[in-house]
Amino acid sequence: MIIILMGTKIMKIDDYNIQSNEIFPSKYFTIDAETTGVAGRYPNCDFSAIDILQIGVITADANLETLQEYDLHSILSPDVSIAPEALLTHKLFNNLDKGTNAVEIFTKFEKIIQKEFDDNTIALLSYNGAAFDLPLYEHQLYLNLQPPYNMKINSSSVIDVQHSTILALSLYPEMPRIFNENGNIVTRLDVVADSLGISTDNAHDAVADCH
């Protein structure tokens, strides 16, 4: 029996007499971003005050084997200030005064979207994407003269892996978990990966975080 956790939906394949290839996407499009920090009180962020400095994308086949990696870097916009803690986390110092401007970067990103979303069986994956990454990408695409919703429109499903992680933690008490000083379970990507024995050597690099 195979159990699938997608968002809040739990399905036991054996219960429905359906083939697994009718459920699983043919391809996965995973995104992550390194930014200038969170502007405003999270999750009610002021996305107009945030720059994306690095776009990371990995596409994978139905067996989660990597097909393609994309790594795009943008120079900091002159009207945006970077939070010191963000800079010390991802260490993208070169993006402060070197690199391609945002209009060119998001034109390239839109071309990647058009290339990779070539049918309607592709799943869009992110971690904390529902609250942060996807709204930020949509804002930046629109701001830089690109259609903002093509990723969502052309996806067979949009999956925030953090939501699936929270669901798995609630269902499986044997799953390792880390608590903060207030006794709450921490679901930050690097903490969860480390608790599962997944390397975090290159954490906070957008492409590495996609892996």
Side-chain angles (χ1 to χ4, degrees):
M1 179 176 64
I2 303 174
I3 299 177
I4 304 169
L5 303 177
M6 294 296 186
T8 58
K9 184 175 182 180
I10 304 174
M11 179 179 292
K12 297 180 180 179
I13 292 179
D14 290 353
D15 294 346
Y16 292 91
N17 192 30
I18 55 180
Q19 301 298 314
S20 61
N21 60 7
E22 295 177 9
I23 299 173
F24 293 106
S26 64
K27 188 164 72 174
Y28 295 91
F29 186 93
T30 306
I31 61 170
D32 189 63
E34 296 302 327
T35 73
T36 53
V38 177
R41 186 174 177 82
Y42 185 82
N44 300 312
C45 300
D46 178 8
F47 292 114
S48 66
I50 303 173
D51 256 6
I52 293 178
L53 299 179
Q54 183 191 12
I55 296 173
V57 175
I58 288 180
T59 60
D61 62 19
N63 297 315
L64 299 180
E65 295 293 334
T66 299
L67 298 172
Q68 186 73 49
E69 293 185 1
Y70 301 94
D71 187 4
L72 304 178
H73 287 255
S74 176
I75 191 171
L76 178 67
S77 299
D79 60 338
V80 175
S81 298
I82 187 168
E85 59 269 24
L87 185 60
L88 292 173
T89 297
H90 52 57
K91 298 179 175 61
L92 294 174
F93 296 100
N94 288 338
N95 294 58
L96 299 182
D97 57 1
K98 299 181 181 69
T100 309
N101 66 62
V103 173
E104 292 183 46
I105 287 297
F106 281 94
T107 300
K108 291 180 181 179
F109 184 48
E110 174 58 25
K111 289 180 180 178
I112 292 171
I113 294 170
Q114 293 176 7
K115 172 188 173 184
E116 296 294 348
F117 285 87
D118 50 4
D119 61 40
N120 61 353
T121 62
I122 300 169
L124 174 60
L125 295 179
S126 62
Y127 199 93
N128 192 35
F132 186 73
D133 294 65
L134 289 180
L136 179 58
Y137 270 116
E138 290 163 1
H139 177 86
Q140 288 291 326
L141 283 163
Y142 178 80
L143 190 67
N144 290 285
L145 310 177
Q146 300 301 320
Y149 303 117
N150 278 350
M151 285 190 291
K152 283 184 178 178
I153 291 172
N154 295 301
S155 300
S156 61
S157 55
V158 180
I159 303 166
D160 188 329
V161 180
Q162 187 178 45
H163 293 175
S164 300
T165 300
I166 293 169
L167 179 60
L169 285 165
S170 68
L171 292 175
Y172 301 105
E174 69 275 14
M175 185 174 175
R177 58 204 66 205
I178 304 297
F179 296 88
N180 63 19
E181 63 274 10
N182 297 319
N184 299 318
I185 298 174
V186 179
T187 59
R188 204 173 67 235
L189 177 58
D190 56 339
V191 174
V192 172
D194 188 61
S195 72
L196 294 172
I198 300 170
S199 173
T200 57
D201 290 346
N202 294 317
H204 305 296
D205 173 86
V207 176
D209 286 353
C210 287
H211 281 286

